[in-house]
Amino acid sequence: MLLPRSPTWTPIQRWLIVAGVALLVITLGALVYTYERYYRGPGESAFYGTWLDPIFNSDDSQYWEFRSDHTFALVIMISGEKTSTVEGRWYAGGPNIYLRFPEDWGPSRPIVMHIVEISPEQFAVRFSPGSHVYHFERAALNSPHTS
């Protein structure tokens, strides 16, 4: 018989196999941790805040406000006062940002923005492969203080 039904492993061989498997699991875990910790890139918290909309053409400026509870608002500054035009939900996953608008306002499917570049003060997106790249810049809107 070429292969016996019950291999006769010595105790040393068994320990070497167990130690090799444990070492392999530890090495793979360390590699995954190192990649996630140091090389993955910024998380979704990089988008929290207010961003100037480069697409909006008007005398007044329009801003995107991405909140930490995964809601967003399109905000227009009119006479120094923030006015929200529409609110929806957002999610940043992988190389994309997904925007879902209310059913009565826009498309029923989410709008996908493909992330081209991201930094703390700016991010660049495009809406389809090969389309124009839009650069959103971080903005600091000061709300008027009431007495």
Side-chain angles (χ1 to χ4, degrees):
M1 190 180 318
L2 204 53
L3 295 172
R5 288 185 183 228
S6 61
T8 55
W9 301 100
T10 65
I12 292 174
Q13 288 174 328
R14 289 180 188 151
W15 279 108
L16 284 174
I17 291 170
V18 169
V21 169
L23 185 63
L24 180 68
V25 169
I26 290 170
T27 303
L28 287 175
L31 287 173
V32 168
Y33 173 78
T34 302
Y35 172 76
E36 291 287 332
R37 177 76 171 110
Y38 299 106
Y39 298 106
R40 186 164 190 214
E44 65 185 18
S45 63
F47 294 106
Y48 298 165
T50 306
W51 301 88
L52 178 62
D53 187 350
I55 304 166
F56 189 70
N57 293 325
S58 175
D59 294 337
D60 299 316
S61 297
Q62 178 171 296
Y63 300 91
W64 291 77
E65 201 173 70
F66 291 105
R67 302 177 188 133
S68 61
D69 63 352
H70 290 276
T71 60
F72 73 88
L74 287 176
V75 177
I76 296 179
M77 292 295 286
I78 299 174
S79 302
E81 197 170 315
K82 287 175 26 175
T83 305
S84 178
T85 57
V86 67
E87 294 192 8
R89 303 211 30 96
W90 72 278
Y91 169 73
N96 300 322
I97 302 171
Y98 302 93
L99 304 172
R100 179 165 303 275
F101 289 89
E103 290 181 17
D104 60 341
W105 193 83
S108 60
R109 294 180 55 182
I111 292 177
V112 180
M113 298 191 309
H114 306 282
I115 302 169
V116 176
E117 181 184 354
I118 185 169
S119 70
E121 297 302 316
Q122 171 177 303
F123 70 90
V125 297
R126 65 178 55 178
F127 290 96
S128 63
S131 69
H132 182 73
V133 176
Y134 297 98
H135 296 273
F136 289 76
E137 295 183 13
R138 189 173 294 277
L141 300 181
N142 296 330
S143 299
H145 298 286
T146 57
S147 56

